[in-house]
């Protein structure tokens, strides 16, 4: 289009010049008519040049006027975008969330996300402040250690396998093994209707709670559906003091006779790698792994390359809290209160979270006994491995560790 316009203008000016030239060459000077006078040729040429200059000036003015209008429109558009950006930055979370505001709930109803951020009920006020403080702690740790915590800035569906979805109550739960995840899966089955005939979570057998098909993972949705749910559903996870969780995993998987699958899968490998003069039976059964051998396995760079099992993988690697904004960060130490908060937010108070056997749980005193029995080097390596979990979820560095 631009080239065609230039060509046309050039052609018109050329035709005008040719016509003017032909007129000056045809015939000899004519006798002027009565009452008329012929201007001198120089005056006529000057007027033609003046007309062409005026036309060129008008064209330039038109071009400049068009450019000015474009610049003005661009500046105005940018100014409007800046206003909307800063306006959205200072709006409450729920007002920015158009999916929640427009498409999530029936008329007059409120979902869990709205109850947490815009609740008018006094009972939720203290919970909202508590979980805001926990969210702030996670965000601060992510910013302070962005190089190590955000190496992967784009999540893949495989990263979302631990996020379970309850469509009925619009909840997303990231399960962390050894942090009451069996009971939370039972509750999610009842809430989402996948408990079938069950209304009491404890009616669901523990092995059934871990059957993959009983709960839908966020990784099973399309990219658009994943983003819509991450934006509009209440997301929560439960965490635990990292070394208590590690020792709990060891006690459950390597000291219980019934866990033969873990003995064969991991125990035999650990014995072969880290036990000198291991017997044939020990290498075949893998049923008597010591905590020192387990710690050596967990901190081994070769194990890091292979990938840690979910039972002793770090929470920030399982749930990606630096990339996914969790609305509720529950703690194992306050499990009953935090679980009740989630169920109240979801308007599911008729579902009771199962009580756990306190007599069998791994305590910080137990963790101290196990960790003191490993070398200083292993203590330091274990702390470095779980350091982000300590920082994100506000757990103090254990006093029994020798980190100097």
């Amino acid at each position: 289009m631009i080239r065609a316009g230039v060509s046309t203008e050039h052609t018109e000016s050329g035709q005008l010049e040719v016509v003017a030239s032909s007129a000056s060459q045809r015939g000899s000077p004519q006798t002027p008519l009565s009452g008329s006078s012929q201007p001198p040729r120089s005056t006529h040429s000057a007027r033609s040049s003046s007309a062409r200059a005026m036309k060129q000036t008008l064209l330039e003015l038109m071009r400049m006027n068009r450019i000015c209008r474009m610049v003005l429109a661009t500046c105005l558009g940018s100014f409007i975008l800046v206003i909307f950006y800063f306006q959205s930055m200072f709006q409450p979370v729920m007002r920015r969330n158009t999916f929640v505001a427009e498409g999530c709930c029936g008329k007059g109803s409120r979902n869990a996300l709205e109850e947490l951020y815009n609740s008018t009920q006094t009972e939720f006020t203290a919970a909202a402040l508590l979980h805001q403080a926990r969210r702030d702690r996670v965000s601060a740790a992510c910013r302070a250690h962005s190089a190590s915590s955000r190496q992967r800035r784009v999540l893949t569906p495989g990263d979302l396998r631990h996020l379970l979805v309850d469509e009925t109550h619009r909840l997303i739960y990231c399960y962390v093994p050894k942090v009451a995840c069996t009971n939370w899966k039972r509750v999610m089955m009842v809430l989402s209707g996948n408990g079938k005939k069950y209304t009491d979570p404890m009616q669901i057998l523990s092995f059934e709670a871990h059957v993959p098909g009983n709960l839908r993972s966020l990784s099973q949705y399309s990219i658009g559906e994943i983003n819509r749910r991450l934006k509009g559903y209440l997301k929560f996870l439960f965490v635990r003091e990292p070394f208590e969780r590690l020792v709990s995993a060891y006690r459950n998987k390597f000291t219980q006779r019934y866990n033969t699958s873990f003995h064969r899968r991991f125990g035999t490998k650990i014995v072969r790698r880290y036990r000198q003069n291991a017997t044939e039976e020990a290498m075949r059964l893998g049923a008597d792994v010591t905590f020192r051998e387990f710690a050596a396995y967990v901190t081994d760079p070769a194990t890091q390359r292979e990938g840690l099992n979910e039972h002793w993988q770090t929470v920030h690697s399982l749930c990606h809290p630096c990339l996914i904004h969790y609305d509720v960060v529950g703690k194992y130490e306050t499990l009953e209160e935090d679980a009740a908060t989630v169920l109240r937010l979801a308007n599911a108070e008729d579902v009771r979270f199962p009580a756990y056997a306190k007599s069998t749980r791994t305590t910080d005193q137990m963790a101290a006994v196990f960790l003191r029995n490993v070398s200083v080097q292993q203590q330091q390596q274990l702390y470095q491995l779980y350091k982000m979990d300590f920082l994100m979820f506000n757990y103090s560095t254990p006093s029994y560790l020798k980190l100097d």
Side-chain angles (χ1 to χ4, degrees):
M1 294 294 292
I2 295 176
R3 293 182 60 188
V6 171
S7 176
T8 301
E9 181 183 352
H10 176 74
T11 302
E12 290 175 352
S13 63
Q15 289 174 347
L16 289 172
E17 289 173 359
V18 169
V19 170
S21 176
S22 299
S24 64
Q25 292 177 1
R26 279 199 302 264
S28 58
Q30 299 179 6
T31 303
L33 294 176
S34 174
S36 67
S37 64
Q38 174 125 3
R41 179 176 303 212
S42 60
T43 304
H44 177 75
S45 176
R47 289 180 178 178
S48 298
S49 299
S50 176
R52 286 197 300 272
M54 184 177 295
K55 180 178 180 181
Q56 186 66 26
T57 301
L58 289 173
L59 290 174
E60 290 295 332
L61 287 173
M62 291 174 65
R63 290 195 191 96
M64 291 179 64
N65 189 31
R66 187 163 58 247
I67 292 172
C68 289
R69 288 199 303 270
M70 292 174 62
V71 171
L72 180 61
T74 302
C75 293
L76 182 60
S78 301
F79 181 68
I80 292 172
L81 287 175
V82 169
I83 291 176
F84 277 113
Y85 172 77
F86 283 103
Q87 185 181 19
S88 67
M89 288 292 291
F90 292 101
Q91 282 179 336
V93 174
M94 290 303 302
R95 291 184 61 188
R96 293 203 307 264
N97 198 328
T98 56
F99 172 70
V100 173
E102 299 172 4
C104 74
C105 309
K107 185 177 180 180
S109 63
R110 294 168 64 85
N111 73 347
L113 204 58
E114 290 176 307
E115 288 292 354
L116 178 63
Y117 290 105
N118 288 343
S119 179
T120 57
Q121 301 184 45
T122 307
E123 63 180 316
F124 290 146
T125 303
L129 293 174
L130 170 65
H131 292 287
Q132 179 64 57
R134 291 178 180 177
R135 290 193 301 271
D136 291 344
R137 177 76 185 198
V138 171
S139 298
C142 291
R143 288 193 301 269
H145 302 271
S146 58
S148 60
S149 64
R150 302 190 65 181
Q151 291 178 354
R152 298 176 61 189
R153 296 180 179 271
V154 179
L155 292 170
T156 66
D159 295 321
L160 306 177
R161 289 175 297 179
H162 277 246
L163 277 71
L164 305 178
V165 182
D166 167 23
E167 296 288 359
T168 305
H169 299 85
R170 301 185 182 277
L171 301 174
I172 295 177
Y173 161 58
C174 183
Y175 74 89
V176 178
K178 308 313 300 176
V179 191
C181 78
T182 300
N183 284 340
W184 264 116
K185 286 183 178 181
R186 286 168 166 156
V187 170
M188 291 289 285
M189 287 175 66
V190 172
L191 291 177
S192 61
N194 290 336
K196 300 175 183 177
K197 61 182 180 181
Y198 303 118
T199 56
D200 180 2
M202 288 309 294
Q203 293 178 305
I204 302 173
L205 299 176
S206 60
F207 81 88
E208 188 177 357
H210 296 288
V211 174
N214 284 336
L215 289 168
R216 192 168 187 187
S217 168
L218 190 62
S219 62
Q220 295 175 268
Y221 294 84
S222 68
I223 299 298
E225 291 173 330
I226 288 172
N227 288 329
R228 190 163 65 91
R229 283 160 178 78
L230 286 174
K231 181 180 179 182
Y233 288 18
L234 184 137
K235 300 166 291 298
F236 70 99
L237 78 163
F238 274 73
V239 300
R240 185 177 185 179
E241 202 277 343
F243 286 166
E244 281 187 29
R245 177 171 168 255
L246 179 67
V247 171
S248 177
Y250 167 75
R251 291 179 64 209
N252 179 254
K253 302 306 177 185
F254 295 103
T255 67
Q256 303 295 329
R257 291 186 177 274
Y258 61 81
N259 264 323
T260 55
S261 61
F262 268 81
H263 300 166
R264 289 193 299 269
R265 183 180 176 187
F266 298 101
T268 55
K269 182 188 297 184
I270 293 173
V271 170
R272 291 176 185 274
R273 283 188 185 179
Y274 308 104
R275 183 177 301 178
Q276 295 181 353
N277 304 317
T279 65
E280 288 293 332
E281 182 181 17
M283 290 189 291
R284 179 171 56 85
L285 298 178
D288 60 346
V289 172
T290 67
F291 185 77
R292 187 188 296 265
E293 292 168 339
F294 174 65
Y297 169 71
V298 170
T299 57
D300 192 330
T303 306
Q304 304 295 316
R305 290 191 295 269
E306 295 169 359
L308 294 176
N309 179 266
E310 62 180 8
H311 291 83
W312 44 85
Q313 178 62 280
T314 60
V315 175
H316 76 270
S317 296
L318 291 175
C319 296
H320 312 285
C322 288
L323 299 173
I324 297 174
H325 176 83
Y326 286 94
D327 306 290
V328 173
V329 178
K331 290 199 169 186
Y332 191 76
E333 295 77 14
T334 54
L335 176 61
E336 293 179 358
E337 300 93 320
D338 294 341
T341 296
V342 173
L343 293 174
R344 283 201 307 270
L345 289 170
N347 195 25
E349 294 179 84
D350 54 326
V351 178
R352 292 182 59 85
F353 190 85
Y356 62 98
K358 296 184 179 181
S359 59
T360 60
R361 70 179 288 256
T362 300
T363 63
D364 55 344
Q365 291 85 2
M366 291 183 188
V369 171
F370 281 92
L371 267 297
R372 286 192 185 112
N373 287 329
V374 303
S375 67
V376 174
Q377 181 183 12
Q378 284 184 333
Q379 287 185 10
Q380 295 172 345
Q381 290 172 334
L382 286 172
Y383 181 75
Q384 288 302 316
L385 177 61
Y386 293 97
K387 182 178 180 179
M388 280 301 296
D389 285 359
F390 276 102
L391 296 175
M392 281 185 179
F393 307 119
N394 200 23
Y395 288 108
S396 303
T397 304
S399 59
Y400 54 80
L401 288 186
K402 299 176 182 178
L403 300 179
D404 297 333

